[in-house]
Amino acid sequence: MPEIKLINIVGARPQIIKASAISRAIRKYFSDSITEIIVHTGQHYDKELSDIFFDELEIHKPQYNLNVGSAGHGRQTSLMITGIEEILLKEKPDCVLLYGDTNSTLAGALAASKLHYPVIHIEAGLRSFNKTMPEELNRIMSDHSSTLLFAPTNAAFKNLMAEGFRPENSPPYTISNPKIYLTGDIMYDNTLFFANLAEKKKADFLAKLALKRNNYILVTIHRDSNTDDINMLSNILVTLKDLAVLKNIVLVMPLHPRTIISLKTRLKSLYDDLMSCSHIKIIPPVSFLEMILLEKNCRMIITDSGGVQKESHFFKKPCIVLRKETEWIELVNNGTAKLVGADVENIKKEFLYFMDIHTEFEYPGFYGDGKTSEFILNEILLMFEKE
Ligand code: UD1
Ligand code: UDP
């Protein structure tokens, strides 16, 4: 086995959670051959969006934290690129590993590819086909700066082919001769690993929130298109509140700070109204183990999150997606996720459909065998063996 130094770049909540799957597989199977350096851009910095995951998911503390914080896209991304470039020049890694589609992903892709370090992109090929989403631009640019691209689904793999990536490329792989793989999803690895642990470590979590199994709905909202447009945010929340009262069911909402800031500063009377409603529980962001328990025991999930959509499938829960399109299109084709955007009539229709239907849905295994992280790491090492 070759010995390599890998820089693992994280910044936003879901990337820290994803990094735990890779770090765990390195510790378990590849500790002799892979030295991992974690670089945190500091895109997320609140304890509930960052530190909590390092502690709970047993990821070693980042060797570097750029502490970039919140800013406009240009400033935030450029500060990250500058910081990552300095680290790359100092550490001279063999490759740089990136997850998903955030500004931290894009910054890592640009800094590394311009210095000719191979970029490895996990969650490659996902597309919403909506270029007004910052994430869509980040995905496309990161994929096209990468040397190894790991697509988590058939749809993602096909998207890469449609953009000119060729599955038949042979080694040596480079940015000009990249390799695309169809893998599973490393978040499925995580769910399998942490689901039982969550039950053991957080046994009293639901009781503390006075929640009963199958008797509440989990809601998350953080997408810029929903939080920054107060008409959309208000449409969604007023409709959901009315439906919760109508159906006498509790909505639990661990809300991202972005959403809370919008509510408190721009929709204060709605915020007060929600806080005083007995069917609504707005709570701070929860830890991943707590989130797993909320997902596993709820009746239904309503979200605009990419990760939470998939987790609804892992836990066999119907999902209403507060977006007009999704990168995880197999969920919609399966009939267990419904796209509603922020449209009041659509939200009502699909909410009542899932509340009233008594059919048992099928939840096929779209996301691999739970060993995707090992597969990815093995392929990374093979690239260096063949060089
Ligand atoms: C980012 C990603 C999004 C991902 C999400 C995961 C981009 C463009 N967006 O969105 O793809 O789904 O992370 O959660 O990269 N804030 C805090 N505390 C923090 C971090 C942010 O209060 O620790 C607030 C700030 O007001 C900030 C706002 O949230 O301006 C947005 O944060 P930002 O990191 O820019 O984007 P997210 O909405 O978190
Ligand atoms: N998550 C969490 N606590 C929360 C909300 C989300 O641990 O309060 C987890 C969730 O289980 C999923 C990931 O964060 O694994 C999704 O992150 P997010 O919704 O912020 O971003 P996205 O996936 O849309 O990029």
Side-chain angles (χ1 to χ4, degrees):
M1 280 275 190
E3 285 182 32
I4 65 162
K5 190 198 268 190
L6 174 151
I7 291 209
N8 197 347
I9 296 188
V10 300
R13 163 170 66 189
Q15 295 168 321
I16 303 169
I17 302 174
K18 286 164 199 169
S20 81
I22 290 293
S23 287
R24 196 169 56 250
I26 292 177
R27 282 199 303 273
K28 193 160 175 202
Y29 301 107
F30 302 100
S31 56
D32 291 343
S33 38
I34 301 179
T35 302
E36 178 196 26
I37 295 175
I38 299 185
V39 175
H40 192 329
T41 63
Q43 178 170 353
H44 284 177
Y45 44 86
D46 285 350
K47 186 174 186 305
E48 308 89 67
L49 294 189
S50 178
D51 284 1
I52 195 175
F53 301 106
F54 287 94
D55 298 341
E56 185 179 72
L57 308 180
E58 291 178 19
I59 317 167
H60 69 72
K61 288 272 177 286
Q63 280 87 339
Y64 297 91
N65 192 326
L66 298 172
N67 291 312
V68 161
S70 303
H73 288 281
R75 181 172 165 73
Q76 188 183 53
T77 312
S78 59
L79 286 172
M80 290 176 191
I81 295 174
T82 308
I84 294 169
E85 185 173 76
E86 280 170 16
I87 295 168
L88 294 177
L89 290 171
K90 180 172 162 227
E91 291 288 347
K92 300 183 174 38
D94 294 289
C95 58
V96 175
L97 185 64
L98 307 169
Y99 309 90
D101 55 19
T102 70
N103 287 350
S104 300
T105 317
L106 175 64
L110 291 179
S113 60
K114 292 218 171 171
L115 290 176
H116 304 182
Y117 290 105
V119 171
I120 294 153
H121 190 200
I122 294 184
E123 286 195 349
L126 294 168
R127 297 288 180 268
S128 63
F129 302 101
N130 173 0
K131 285 190 183 167
T132 66
M133 285 180 78
E135 292 85 356
E136 185 76 349
L137 301 175
N138 292 344
R139 289 179 194 120
I140 294 170
M141 291 190 257
S142 300
D143 281 342
H144 288 265
S145 311
S146 294
T147 293
L148 299 188
L149 297 90
F150 292 98
T153 59
N154 280 317
F157 191 76
K158 281 187 192 153
N159 291 336
L160 290 175
M161 288 201 287
E163 287 177 23
F165 288 94
R166 294 170 12 174
E168 66 275 14
N169 282 1
S170 52
Y173 300 123
T174 63
I175 188 171
S176 307
N177 179 46
K179 172 69 177 168
I180 59 172
Y181 296 89
L182 173 57
T183 65
D185 178 16
I186 62 169
M187 281 307 292
Y188 184 53
D189 301 10
N190 264 343
T191 297
L192 291 182
F193 185 81
F194 288 116
N196 288 338
L197 208 65
E199 299 278 3
K200 278 189 209 135
K201 288 204 166 176
K202 301 275 177 178
D204 55 351
F205 179 67
L206 293 183
K208 273 192 195 154
L209 287 174
L211 295 174
K212 292 203 186 84
R213 194 173 287 250
N214 222 21
N215 212 7
Y216 65 91
I217 292 171
L218 173 63
V219 181
T220 80
I221 303 168
H222 77 278
R223 205 52 66 188
D224 63 348
S225 52
N226 285 333
T227 57
D228 297 3
D229 181 330
I230 54 168
N231 291 325
M232 303 258 259
L233 187 58
S234 147
N235 277 352
I236 292 170
L237 288 169
V238 170
T239 310
L240 290 181
K241 183 193 151 210
D242 291 348
L243 287 163
V245 173
L246 177 75
K247 287 296 192 181
N248 193 22
I249 190 157
V250 169
L251 305 186
V252 185
M253 304 189 183
L255 289 183
H256 189 292
R258 172 175 208 141
T259 321
I260 292 290
I261 292 167
S262 261
L263 276 171
K264 283 189 179 167
T265 57
R266 301 171 70 203
L267 289 167
K268 184 72 172 75
S269 65
L270 173 59
Y271 178 70
D272 292 342
D273 195 27
L274 293 170
M275 292 303 280
S276 64
C277 172
S278 59
H279 289 86
I280 305 282
K281 277 185 202 292
I282 293 181
I283 58 174
V286 296
S287 79
F288 186 56
L289 295 185
E290 291 165 351
M291 191 64 178
I292 283 180
L293 286 184
L294 288 175
E295 291 170 339
K296 195 173 176 185
N297 294 292
C298 69
R299 171 95 176 251
M300 172 188 354
I301 293 179
I302 302 177
T303 189
D304 58 11
S305 156
V308 178
Q309 278 175 64
K310 262 178 307 157
E311 286 159 11
S312 74
H313 189 83
F314 301 158
F315 291 111
K316 301 185 169 30
K317 304 292 173 180
C319 184
I320 293 180
V321 183
L322 299 164
R323 291 181 47 197
K324 286 188 185 150
E325 69 286 302
T326 180
E327 304 77 35
W328 306 99
I329 193 65
E330 57 287 339
L331 300 174
V332 175
N333 294 338
N334 194 47
T336 41
K338 303 280 185 186
L339 295 171
V340 298
D343 182 273
V344 172
E345 291 312 314
N346 282 341
I347 296 172
K348 279 187 193 160
K349 180 173 150 236
E350 304 303 356
F351 185 104
L352 295 173
Y353 169 74
F354 281 138
M355 281 300 285
D356 294 340
I357 198 164
H358 295 293
T359 319
E360 288 289 316
F361 292 107
E362 297 285 319
Y363 291 88
F366 295 134
Y367 300 106
D369 59 2
K371 295 181 180 148
T372 298
S373 309
E374 286 129 78
F375 174 82
I376 289 174
L377 291 169
N378 205 41
E379 290 303 316
I380 294 172
L381 283 170
L382 281 176
M383 172 166 82
F384 290 99
E385 214 160 53
K386 283 171 192 161
E387 268 180 359

